[in-house]
């Protein structure tokens, strides 16, 4: 009963467990989950009631369904009769994505640099786009967008960077959702682009349900000219050329 009073169901990715969602958001946003339970545990016994556990998670920004909260409660039982949830075990499990506990007792223990199950190891690299049906049409479209951006002297990547950094987005490095990709294209890059062309670009740069906007920007953004600091010394301006002709 107490759980249902505290929970407001929100849309979430299907097939993803509640604990995985918590770990993912805690790692990416650096949330200290233990601080949200400390006020409920005045004696620092490491346990809280079910209602307090759900309140702490809600204050941390995790709003699940009643069934999902119930599964989390059952996963971390406490020996305390009055406080049936061991939030200490829960926090240890969640904080395990950063490092292993009790490393002072195991100084030679190997620790992963980052959780491989949550973070894409190639997130900062430029992944090659996959071939799609109508590849010639996609290449022609990319060439058109590239020429248009060159004429208008704009770069598309900063627009997508803003969408990627939005707190309400999945915040996956170098990726945006198809909806965000569509909005940026229509609002900032090519307002007259048809829905069919937008869907072609989404299919071309789609990666695990999201769109790799860095790979798209690499095809569209104007290429920067390479700066040669010693090349300017060999360039002769028109006045210098006329003077050389007069002295010749």
């Amino acid at each position: 009963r107490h759980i249902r009073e505290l929970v407001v169901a929100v849309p979430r990715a299907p097939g993803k467990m509640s604990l995985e969602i918590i770990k993912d958001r805690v790692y990416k946003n650096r949330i200290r989950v233990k601080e949200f339970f400390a006020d409920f545990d005045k004696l620092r016994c490491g346990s809280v009631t079910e209602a307090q556990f759900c309140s702490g998670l809600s204050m941390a920004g995790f709003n699940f369904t009643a069934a999902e909260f119930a599964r989390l409660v059952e996963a971390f039982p406490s020996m305390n009769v009055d406080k049936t949830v061991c939030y200490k075990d829960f926090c240890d499990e969640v904080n395990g994505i950063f490092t292993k506990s009790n490393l002072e007792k195991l100084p030679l223990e190997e620790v992963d640099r980052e959780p491989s199950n949550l973070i894409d190891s190639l997130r900062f690299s430029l992944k090659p786009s996959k071939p799609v049906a109508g590849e010639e049409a996609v290449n022609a479209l990319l060439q058109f967008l590239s020429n248009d951006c060159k004429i208008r002297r704009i770069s598309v990547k900063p627009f997508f960077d803003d969408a990627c950094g939005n707190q309400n987005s999945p915040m996956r490095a170098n990726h945006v959702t198809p909806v965000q990709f569509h909005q940026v294209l229509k609002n900032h890059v090519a307002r007259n682009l048809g829905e069919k062309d937008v869907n072609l670009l989404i299919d071309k740069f789609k990666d695990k349900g999201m769109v790799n906007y860095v790979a798209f920007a690499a095809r569209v953004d104007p290429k920067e000219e390479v700066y040669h600091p010693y090349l300017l010394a060999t360039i002769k301006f028109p006045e210098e050329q006329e003077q050389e002709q007069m002295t010749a």
Side-chain angles (χ1 to χ4, degrees), residues 76-91:
F76 301 96
S78 172
M79 300 299 293
N80 194 319
V81 178
D82 298 326
K83 300 180 178 181
T84 57
V85 184
C86 184
Y87 78 89
K88 183 179 181 300
D89 292 344
F90 168 77
C91 293

Side-chain angles (χ1 to χ4, degrees), residues 29-222:
N29 297 340
R30 297 301 192 265
I31 301 174
R32 299 181 179 180
V33 289
K34 191 174 182 179
E35 295 182 357
F36 295 94
F37 301 105
D39 291 340
F40 298 125
D41 187 18
K42 301 296 183 181
L43 300 178
R44 300 295 184 264
C45 63
S47 300
V48 292
T49 64
E50 294 183 9
Q52 291 171 342
F53 182 74
C54 297
S55 295
L57 286 178
S58 297
M59 288 188 295
F62 303 103
N63 298 316
F64 300 115
T65 64
E68 290 170 333
F69 269 122
R71 285 195 293 268
L72 287 172
V73 168
E74 293 175 358
F76 301 96
S78 172
M79 300 299 293
N80 194 319
V81 178
D82 298 326
K83 300 180 178 181
T84 57
V85 184
C86 184
Y87 78 89
K88 183 179 181 300
D89 292 344
F90 168 77
C91 293
D92 290 341
E93 175 67 24
V94 172
N95 292 332
I97 60 174
F98 295 107
T99 187
K100 297 180 180 179
S101 58
N102 300 322
L103 284 178
E104 65 276 7
K105 300 178 181 179
L106 302 170
L108 300 180
E109 185 75 12
E110 293 185 2
V111 180
D112 296 333
R113 295 185 59 184
E114 56 189 21
S116 57
N117 57 328
L118 296 180
I119 302 298
D120 185 6
S121 59
L122 301 176
R123 64 191 183 281
F124 293 120
S125 61
L126 182 61
K127 299 179 181 178
S129 55
K130 61 182 180 180
V132 294
E135 189 73 18
E136 294 182 359
V138 174
N139 292 332
L141 179 59
L142 289 171
Q143 185 62 39
F144 167 77
L145 292 175
S146 179
N147 294 336
D148 186 60
C149 290
K150 186 176 182 180
I151 293 172
R152 295 166 58 194
R153 295 182 179 275
I154 63 171
S155 297
V156 302
K157 187 175 180 296
F159 298 124
F160 290 105
D161 287 337
D162 293 339
C164 182
N166 191 313
Q167 292 294 328
N168 296 322
S169 69
M171 298 181 68
R172 180 180 167 193
N174 296 344
H175 290 73
V176 293
T177 64
V179 175
Q180 289 176 316
F181 186 83
H182 181 278
Q183 290 175 344
V184 172
L185 275 181
K186 300 292 286 186
N187 294 336
H188 302 288
V189 181
R191 301 191 177 189
N192 297 326
L193 203 62
E195 295 295 327
K196 183 179 178 180
D197 293 334
V198 174
N199 292 330
L200 276 176
L201 293 175
I202 291 176
D203 292 339
K204 174 68 175 178
F205 299 99
K206 203 165 188 179
D207 177 31
K208 297 180 180 179
M210 301 187 71
V211 182
N212 186 346
Y213 72 86
V214 173
F216 169 73
R219 297 284 300 273
V220 173
D221 281 345

